[in-house]
Amino acid sequence: QGCKEYKDEDEVGSSSQANKRSYEYNRSQETQSSILGLSPDSQIQVLSFLHPRDIISFGCVSKNTKLIVDEDPTLEDNQNYTAVLLWKEIWKRDYAWVVTQWDVGIEALQRSIGHCLHCA
């Protein structure tokens, strides 16, 4: 049981090219049939059912899943909108009640908005 061990290309021998092509083909099929093949809106919808800890774990699976979950500071104007929208959705799901249903939260939001309006 557990993860399969993949040998280094030098250790495999002459059949390495065929194995590599087969691996790449299987990997592309896997991408098409997984969450990575979905539109960003659908990815957000699916991931929004998970606990934040599980979303972080999902982001550790590969570089592609990390792009869905993490904001990339190297992108100009933070163009990784999927990650931004995902975390906004999680915030709304878990914490929006604080500023919409809790009296202290509503008052704090109103003060904050009022303060921002005076600053502009």
Side-chain angles (χ1 to χ4, degrees), residues 22-88:
S22 174
Y23 173 74
E24 288 172 359
Y25 175 75
N26 289 335
R27 191 169 173 194
S28 70
Q29 277 186 327
E30 181 179 306
T31 300
Q32 291 172 358
S33 64
S34 73
I35 192 169
L36 298 174
L38 298 175
S39 69
D41 290 342
S42 297
Q43 291 172 344
I44 291 168
Q45 178 66 28
V46 170
L47 293 172
S48 70
F49 289 99
L50 299 177
H51 187 277
R53 174 186 57 240
D54 298 327
I55 296 171
I56 297 297
S57 294
F58 171 77
C60 295
V61 171
S62 71
K63 290 179 183 179
N64 291 329
T65 59
K66 183 178 170 105
L67 288 174
I68 295 172
V69 172
D70 287 346
E71 296 179 41
D72 188 350
T74 62
L75 292 176
E76 201 169 296
D77 297 326
N78 193 16
Q79 294 183 8
N80 190 5
Y81 298 117
T82 304
V84 172
L85 293 174
L86 170 63
W87 289 110
K88 282 184 179 181

